[in-house]
């Protein structure tokens, strides 16, 4: 039995019990070999199970409770079944290895416990699951996906009856129910043809497309040319159909990345913020004379953008896409009850834009389970837009999660409107910087692998809280904030923030889904006539401050540690390097 992160009993006995109920030939063979060899590798596999958090499970495929596999998925489905009230539960899946069978196992576990399930008819984007939960007035939704993780990963993402990702205390209740479920054998599952297992109707896809194709400005032009890549994921067909229904020409699709492929042959880490991932799409866009490059991650809940209507292609950051969409939406909507939301690690520019339009602005914890809470909890406010800098965007609350397809349609509409006026979306970004000042954001990450990695992460966060350095490099720390202490309506989170002279703001937090620590930086300068100079100054300030903070953190890691890996610099508006974070929530 697994209790949180602790295991009791003899490892070999637990491994044998796991093997006895494992229905998958691949993981049976892997586990049999591990049992034969024994030792620390087997012990590591059974010393913990994947933590249920950040809206569910996510991790590397493999045998044992510390990997994603059919045994663990069945336990997770049993945990969900113990917590839902009524039904049905919507079950969807992407095109990754094992996704279809994980979805089938989930439906069979739920059906065996008397819960009706509706399974998607094939691999379909994650935003459709979030939409379908409310469309069917379902009790919950499960999406089998690892989003933009490496090819060897998979995941089990859970939505609640409100159509949003689960949040406390539901996540803790499900986690406890998983522990209580124990191991499930075939007799604990319903048959594949059980009458409680149904299929989602095509009508819900039609309804979703109607929602995501609704124009922000019905009078806007539709004259824009787009190159597009789904990065071997499942976004292509729904996005192409959405563009057609919204009145746009069909995008040029990167042929070698167009079909779903769990091997991700052209991009082993299919994150659209990863260096080089957009190269094929940009090349196609240049060759076809496109105005924009749009990219979804493999489950199509995120959107990346590159602008091609100037001399050199320009890839936008998540913050830049977010503030452009926010300003466009606020320009073409009205009402003092409008609400826009972003996160504590995203640009503060959204606050100035909201004030300019006379609407409310909120900042939440990282992750869309938090970004969408105001849309659900506030009866006195109308949620019109929310975003996080990791390329997640929600236009309205028809989908209470990030939606890369809806965001792509609205961004294309905005680009077409600017094109009709003889301008570019980059001109619109210039307008924002002239009006509100230049805001430059960037990020760095340091990854820790091995059994000691999480301990090192904890030690670093404890040090920063205890010491509270008064200088970082040459800059004085004017204000230190421990976000582990709740304030007002914002829950506690494992992060600390520094306000430096400059001004520069830095925030440090461990990833919610990977063994790495993340550093976020932002510099804001007042409006200036020379935007290029102001942007260079802001970028230099952020780069220097992040480098100094990385040096401080790096000094805390023992020189002989085998956990240290090179730091990775996230793409910003002046660099082509980058790796985007997985959401914390």
């Amino acid at each position: 039995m697994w209790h949180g992160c602790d295991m009791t009993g003899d490892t070999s006995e637990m491994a044998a019990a796991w093997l006895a109920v494992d229905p998958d030939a691949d993981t049976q063979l892997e586990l049999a070999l591990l049992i034969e060899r024994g030792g620390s590798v087997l012990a590591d596999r059974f010393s913990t199970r994947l933590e249920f958090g950040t809206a569910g499970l996510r991790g590397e495929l493999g045998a044992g409770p510390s990997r994603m596999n059919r045994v663990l998925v069945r336990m997770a489905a049993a945990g969900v079944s113990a917590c839902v009230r009524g039904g049905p539960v919507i079950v969807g899946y992407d095109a990754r290895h094992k996704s279809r069978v994980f979805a089938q196992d989930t439906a069979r576990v739920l059906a065996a416990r008397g819960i009706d399930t509706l399974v998607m008819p094939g691999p379909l984007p994650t935003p459709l699951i979030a939409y379908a939960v409310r469309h069917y007035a379902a009790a919950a939704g499960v999406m089998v996906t690892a989003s933009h993780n490496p090819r060897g990963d998979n995941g089990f993402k859970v939505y609640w009856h409100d159509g949003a990702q689960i949040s406390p205390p539901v996540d803790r209740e499900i986690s406890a129910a998983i522990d209580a479920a124990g191991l499930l054998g075939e007799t604990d599952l319903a048959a594949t043809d059980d009458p409680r297992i149904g299929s989602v109707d095509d009508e819900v896809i039609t309804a979703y497309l109607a929602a995501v194709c609704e124009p922000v400005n019905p009078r806007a032009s539709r004259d824009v040319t787009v190159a597009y890549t789904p990065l071997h994921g499942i976004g292509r067909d729904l996005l192409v159909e959405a563009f057609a229904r919204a009145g746009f020409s069909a995008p040029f699709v990167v042929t070698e990345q167009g079909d779903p492929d769990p091997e991700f042959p052209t991009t082993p880490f299919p994150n659209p913020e990863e260096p080089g991932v957009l190269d094929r799409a940009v090349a196609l866009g240049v060759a076809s004379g496109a105005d924009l490059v749009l990219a979804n991650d493999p489950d199509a809940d995120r959107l990346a953008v590159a602008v091609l209507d100037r001399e050199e292609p320009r890839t936008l950051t998540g913050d830049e896409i977010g503030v452009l969409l926010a300003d466009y939406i606020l320009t073409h909507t009205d009402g003092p009850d409008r609400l826009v939301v972003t996160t504590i690690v995203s640009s503060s520019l959204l606050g100035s834009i909201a004030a300019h339009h006379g609407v409310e602005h909120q900042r939440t914890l990282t992750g869309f389970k938090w970004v969408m809470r105001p849309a659900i909890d506030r009866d006195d406010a109308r949620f019109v837009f929310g975003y996080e800098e990791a390329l997640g965007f929600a236009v309205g609350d028809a989908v209470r999660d990030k939606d890369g397809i809806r965001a792509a349609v609205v961004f294309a509409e905005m680009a077409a409107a600017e094109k009709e006026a003889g301008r570019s979306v980059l001109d619109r970004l210039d307008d924002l910087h002239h009006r509100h000042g230049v805001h430059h954001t960037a990020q760095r990450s340091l990854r820790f692998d091995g059994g000691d990695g999480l301990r090192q992460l904890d030690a670093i966060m404890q040090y920063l809280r205890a010491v509270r350095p008064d200088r970082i490099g040459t800059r004085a720390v004017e204000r230190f904030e421990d976000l582990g202490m709740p304030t007002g309506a914002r829950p506690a989170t494992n992060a600390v923030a520094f306000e430096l002279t400059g001004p520069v703001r830095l925030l440090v937090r461990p990833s919610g889904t990977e063994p790495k620590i993340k550093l976020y930086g932002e510099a804001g300068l007042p409006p200036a006539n020379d935007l290029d100079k102001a942007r260079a100054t802001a970028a230099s300030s952020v780069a220097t401050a992040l480098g100094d903070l990385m040096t401080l953190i790096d000094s805390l890691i023992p020189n002989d540690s085998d956990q240290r890996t090179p730091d990775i610099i996230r793409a910003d508006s002046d660099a082509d390097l980058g790796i985007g974070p997985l959401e914390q929530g």
Side-chain angles (χ1 to χ4, degrees):
M1 185 70 68
W2 287 261
H3 299 284
C5 291
D6 294 327
M7 284 277 298
T8 59
D10 179 77
T11 298
S12 60
E13 292 178 359
M14 291 182 291
W18 189 281
L19 180 60
V21 298
D22 191 341
D24 188 288
D26 294 333
T27 47
Q28 284 177 4
L29 177 60
E30 179 187 6
L31 184 52
L33 291 172
L34 289 173
I35 292 173
E36 181 179 343
R37 294 171 184 169
S40 61
V41 176
L42 179 65
D44 284 345
R45 288 291 183 96
F46 282 83
S47 64
T48 183
R49 77 161 164 80
L50 283 180
E51 181 180 356
F52 189 91
T54 62
L57 300 166
R58 192 184 298 178
E60 184 180 354
L61 290 165
S66 64
R67 298 289 190 271
M68 284 296 302
N69 50 70
R70 293 181 68 181
V71 179
L72 184 61
V73 165
R74 291 176 174 190
M75 294 170 65
V80 171
S81 73
C83 297
V84 297
R85 301 294 179 266
V89 173
I90 311 299
V91 179
Y93 56 97
D94 65 13
R96 285 178 177 265
H97 291 299
K98 310 292 184 181
S99 285
R100 185 186 297 271
V101 71
F102 286 176
Q104 291 171 342
D105 281 350
T106 298
R108 293 176 62 201
V109 170
L110 292 166
R113 285 153 175 75
I115 299 170
D116 292 333
T117 63
L118 294 172
V119 183
M120 287 290 171
L124 286 164
T126 293
L128 184 58
I129 303 300
Y131 179 85
V133 168
R134 293 173 69 202
H135 181 85
Y136 282 104
V142 171
M143 178 67 185
V144 178
T145 181
S147 190
H148 55 279
N149 275 37
R151 64 165 71 101
D153 289 7
N154 214 324
F156 183 95
K157 186 174 185 178
V158 182
Y159 293 90
W160 216 228
H161 60 82
D162 54 14
Q165 297 178 35
I166 55 171
S167 58
V170 174
D171 53 355
R172 295 191 295 269
E173 293 170 357
I174 294 176
S175 184
I178 294 172
D179 288 335
L183 301 175
L184 280 69
E186 281 294 311
T187 57
D188 298 308
L189 278 66
T192 56
D193 59 352
D194 188 283
R196 290 190 178 276
I197 302 175
S199 180
V200 170
D201 295 330
D202 289 342
E203 182 270 335
V204 73
I205 300 175
T206 301
Y208 166 78
L209 286 168
V212 302
C213 294
E214 183 178 352
V216 173
N217 177 13
R219 295 184 296 276
S221 169
R222 295 294 184 268
D223 179 20
V224 67
T225 305
V226 171
Y228 170 73
T229 176
L231 296 180
H232 302 292
I234 53 179
R236 179 192 59 193
D237 293 348
L238 217 54
L239 181 132
V240 169
E241 179 64 22
F243 265 51
R245 294 186 182 218
F248 296 104
S249 298
F252 296 97
V253 179
V254 179
T255 302
E256 60 268 38
Q257 295 178 335
D259 292 330
D261 188 337
E263 283 298 302
F264 301 103
T266 69
T267 172
F269 194 173
N271 182 340
E273 292 177 303
E274 179 79 359
V277 170
L278 296 185
D279 286 356
R280 284 176 170 80
V282 169
L284 175 62
V286 171
S288 59
D291 304 301
L292 288 177
V293 167
L294 302 179
N296 290 135
D297 65 340
D299 69 330
D301 64 350
R302 300 174 191 248
L303 174 71
V305 178
V307 182
L308 304 179
D309 54 9
R310 292 193 177 176
E311 291 184 3
E312 294 293 330
R314 166 82 142 78
T315 300
L316 301 181
T317 67
D319 280 316
E320 290 172 334
I321 299 169
V323 298
L324 283 166
L325 286 172
D327 183 65
Y328 181 74
I329 291 163
L330 291 175
T331 299
H332 295 287
T333 56
D334 53 35
D337 61 337
R338 291 172 294 168
L339 171 66
V340 292
V341 180
T342 191
T343 72
I344 57 175
V345 301
S346 301
S347 174
S348 60
L349 179 54
L350 183 61
S352 299
I353 293 171
H356 174 79
H357 289 280
V359 305
E360 185 180 354
H361 161 246
Q362 284 194 22
R363 299 185 85 173
T364 70
L365 299 185
T366 308
F368 257 77
K369 71 179 180 184
W370 300 114
V371 171
M372 295 309 302
R373 289 318 308 178
I376 299 166
D377 298 338
R378 293 280 301 277
D379 293 329
D380 60 332
R382 176 164 49 100
F383 180 96
V384 295
F385 180 69
Y387 91 94
E388 62 179 359
E389 48 77 44
L391 300 181
F393 313 98
V395 180
D397 76 337
V399 175
R400 287 181 169 171
D401 198 5
K402 52 191 175 294
D403 186 347
I405 294 173
R406 173 62 168 154
V409 170
V410 176
F411 200 96
E413 179 187 307
M414 175 177 61
E418 295 294 341
K419 181 179 179 181
E420 185 179 37
R423 290 163 39 96
S424 161
V425 293
L426 298 179
D427 293 311
R428 191 178 193 103
L429 186 62
D430 289 347
D431 291 345
L432 293 176
H433 286 170
H434 278 303
R435 182 191 306 151
H436 304 292
V438 170
H439 289 250
H440 183 94
T441 58
Q443 183 198 124
R444 293 192 180 188
S445 301
L446 185 62
R447 187 179 185 92
F448 299 80
D449 293 312
D452 201 35
L454 293 179
R455 187 192 64 78
Q456 300 244 16
L457 283 174
D458 290 341
I460 288 169
M461 295 304 296
Q462 290 173 17
Y463 173 87
L464 293 174
R465 286 189 166 96
V467 174
R468 300 191 176 196
D470 57 6
R471 301 192 71 82
I472 295 178
T474 61
R475 297 176 185 271
V477 176
E478 296 185 333
R479 181 171 177 264
F480 172 87
E481 183 179 8
D482 182 356
L483 283 81
M485 305 297 292
T487 57
R490 191 194 68 210
T493 189
N494 188 13
V496 295
F498 304 89
E499 300 285 350
L500 309 183
T501 54
V504 174
R505 184 172 189 266
L506 301 176
L507 187 141
V508 184
R509 73 173 181 92
S511 168
T513 53
E514 292 183 287
K516 66 182 182 181
I517 200 163
K518 297 180 178 180
L519 288 65
Y520 303 83
E522 178 180 18
L525 297 178
N529 291 327
D530 190 340
L531 287 181
D532 289 339
K533 181 178 179 181
R535 286 167 176 158
T537 299
S540 176
S541 296
V542 172
T544 300
L546 283 173
D548 291 337
L549 181 57
M550 180 64 77
T551 299
L552 171 64
I553 291 175
D554 196 53
S555 71
L556 306 177
I557 305 170
N559 290 332
D560 60 350
S561 172
D562 61 359
Q563 316 305 328
R564 182 200 304 265
T565 58
D567 66 300
I568 305 169
I569 306 173
R570 243 286 295 288
D572 56 37
S573 59
D574 298 306
D576 293 325
L577 301 174
I579 179 170
L582 298 174
E583 66 187 9
Q584 180 179 0

